[in-house]
Amino acid sequence: MGFLTKLKGLLPPSSRSFHAMYEEVGDIHNRVRTVQEDLVLLRSHMVHEVDEVIMPAVRHTQGAVDAHAAAMELFAWDAYRHDGESLADAKKRFFANIPAAEGRLRRYQELCTQLLAAFDELCASCGATYWIACGTLIGAVRHKGFIPWDDDIDLGMLRQNLDRVARAAEADERFRISVVYDFWACCKQVRFRWADEAVPCFLDLFPYDVVDAHDRAAALSAHASARERLREAQKTGLAFWEEAPYLDASDARASSVAEAFSRAEAGLAPLRQTGDAAEAGGRRAVLWGVENEDYPTATLVPAGNVFPLQRMTFDGVECWGPHDPLAVLEQAYGDVYTMPGDIKTHFRHTDLTLWDDAPSEPGR
């Protein structure tokens, strides 16, 4: 390309070519507008198709599948039940006879139960109370130990007892408490562990607050509002959190996340009751901690279903459980003797292959 050609390219266009270019740009603009309008119409049509055609078909199909599954389950239980045996007893027998885990998973479960026994002793020494909860309580009731495909232990504690056991663990060189902020569940994971980081197991500690049972609506509303504020904070001042979705409390960036959780937790302070929840009868309830992940079916539990605590056995380990385990479980899960749907899909909390060299008797 010669010098004159280059120079011409830098000069302003003639009036005729300018108008031609202007008309061409205008034509492109109109075409874009037409495409945008077509897309709006297409989206509206798609929304209508989804709402009026697809979703009703999906709901109908889901209903048919659920009805078929329920019928097949009834046939299966009827075939499994012995003569003269009640359906409830047949279900209990079935779950009691499911084989325990084997291999790496079973070894990991055994490490967890060793830690549970040590935790029970630590709580006794410092005057803290706790109870087995969630999937661990299902396992204790249904299997007398671990659900065969489960890999963690869940414990509930009143907030003041969680603080007490945290101080006791800090003073004992065998143990440590880890705190991780989970972006995806928008929760604060508090876990009791062996001090030896070569041992992978942990106990999940879930804080609860005691509230007036007569203020049920106020407690649930305050809890929901606090959770919503945390979700909003994720989108605004804590946008960086998504880049490190499992943020350890020791990370310098965690301070602002911790402050958001502290504000949410403090917002429920006016509702908290003092004194012994076990002695309050039907006047009190236990409220799922606002820093825990969402648990809509069991956010608020009658205190009488939890207290006074009772001793239970979990995989041969004596531990504390709620006063009425079945009432607690039925509120959270419905009938725990229905066929479980997570045998193959249960979330794995750790990669078991990474811990083959973990000591068999940690803490010694």
Side-chain angles (χ1 to χ4, degrees):
M1 180 184 296
F3 173 75
L4 292 176
T5 304
K6 291 181 179 179
L7 182 61
K8 183 178 179 181
L10 298 174
L11 295 175
S14 66
S15 175
R16 181 180 298 174
S17 59
F18 176 81
H19 284 294
M21 182 175 64
Y22 181 81
E23 291 174 358
E24 185 176 349
V25 170
D27 183 56
I28 293 174
H29 177 75
N30 290 333
R31 291 181 184 181
V32 169
R33 180 182 296 174
T34 300
V35 171
Q36 289 175 332
E37 292 172 351
D38 288 344
L39 287 173
V40 169
L41 289 173
L42 178 61
R43 180 179 180 277
S44 176
H45 178 71
M46 291 177 64
V47 169
H48 177 269
E49 287 293 311
V50 170
D51 290 343
E52 301 298 328
V53 180
I54 297 176
M55 289 310 300
V58 169
R59 285 191 288 268
H60 175 76
T61 302
Q62 185 64 56
V65 169
D66 290 344
H68 182 267
M72 291 301 98
E73 187 170 338
L74 285 175
F75 282 125
W77 284 126
D78 187 62
Y80 182 78
R81 186 171 53 185
H82 292 159
D83 289 341
E85 184 181 34
S86 69
L87 178 59
D89 287 341
K91 289 182 175 183
K92 291 177 182 178
R93 178 169 58 85
F94 173 83
F95 282 101
N97 289 328
I98 293 178
E102 297 178 342
R104 286 191 177 101
L105 177 57
R106 183 56 189 163
R107 181 166 177 262
Y108 183 81
Q109 291 175 346
E110 290 169 347
L111 288 173
C112 288
T113 53
Q114 291 177 35
L115 184 58
L116 175 61
F119 181 81
D120 184 77
E121 292 177 1
L122 183 69
C123 286
S125 68
C126 72
T129 56
Y130 72 93
W131 63 93
I132 55 175
C134 306
T136 303
L137 184 58
I138 292 177
V141 168
R142 206 170 65 185
H143 306 272
K144 309 305 178 188
F146 265 103
I147 296 173
W149 48 93
D150 201 3
D151 66 342
D152 71 329
I153 288 180
D154 306 311
L155 305 177
M157 303 187 77
L158 296 182
R159 189 174 301 279
Q160 62 269 29
N161 287 306
L162 179 56
D163 295 339
R164 187 176 298 169
V165 82
R167 291 192 297 270
E170 186 177 4
D172 193 317
E173 63 181 9
R174 296 174 298 165
F175 309 117
R176 62 189 172 97
I177 298 284
S178 70
V179 176
V180 171
Y181 295 97
D182 181 341
F183 175 85
W184 303 115
C186 192
C187 72
K188 177 182 178 182
Q189 295 177 347
V190 181
R191 289 173 170 173
F192 181 82
R193 300 175 178 269
W194 295 109
D196 185 353
E197 295 189 7
V199 185
C201 59
F202 58 85
L203 312 179
D204 273 320
L205 307 181
F206 296 109
Y208 283 80
D209 294 301
V210 178
V211 298
D212 189 333
H214 297 109
D215 288 339
R216 176 183 178 85
L220 290 174
S221 177
H223 189 280
S225 295
R227 290 293 298 168
E228 183 61 29
R229 288 195 298 273
L230 282 172
R231 294 287 188 188
E232 285 300 315
Q234 280 185 304
K235 303 172 186 176
T236 55
L238 304 178
F240 69 90
W241 188 9
E242 187 173 3
E243 299 173 4
Y246 301 105
L247 190 62
D248 193 277
S250 62
D251 191 303
R253 297 170 295 176
S255 60
S256 56
V257 180
E259 289 173 5
F261 275 88
S262 294
R263 287 193 299 271
E265 182 261 316
L268 273 70
L271 296 171
R272 293 197 187 100
Q273 300 285 302
T274 57
D276 189 350
E279 297 176 356
R283 300 193 307 273
R284 293 189 178 168
V286 287
L287 181 68
W288 181 247
V290 71
E291 61 268 67
N292 300 328
E293 62 184 298
D294 292 330
Y295 196 15
T297 56
T299 302
L300 194 65
V301 179
N305 289 351
V306 178
F307 300 104
L309 301 174
Q310 63 168 322
R311 293 298 270 180
M312 298 181 69
T313 301
F314 183 85
D315 260 6
V317 172
E318 290 292 314
C319 57
W320 289 104
H323 177 67
D324 191 341
L326 281 178
V328 171
L329 290 175
E330 285 173 3
Q331 177 181 339
Y333 303 103
D335 182 7
V336 295
Y337 288 100
T338 57
M339 295 301 293
D342 66 340
I343 295 177
K344 292 296 185 182
T345 60
H346 182 75
F347 177 75
R348 282 277 174 261
H349 292 85
T350 188
D351 182 355
L352 302 180
T353 64
L354 299 177
W355 309 106
D356 288 343
D357 296 327
S360 58
E361 294 188 16
R364 295 185 181 276

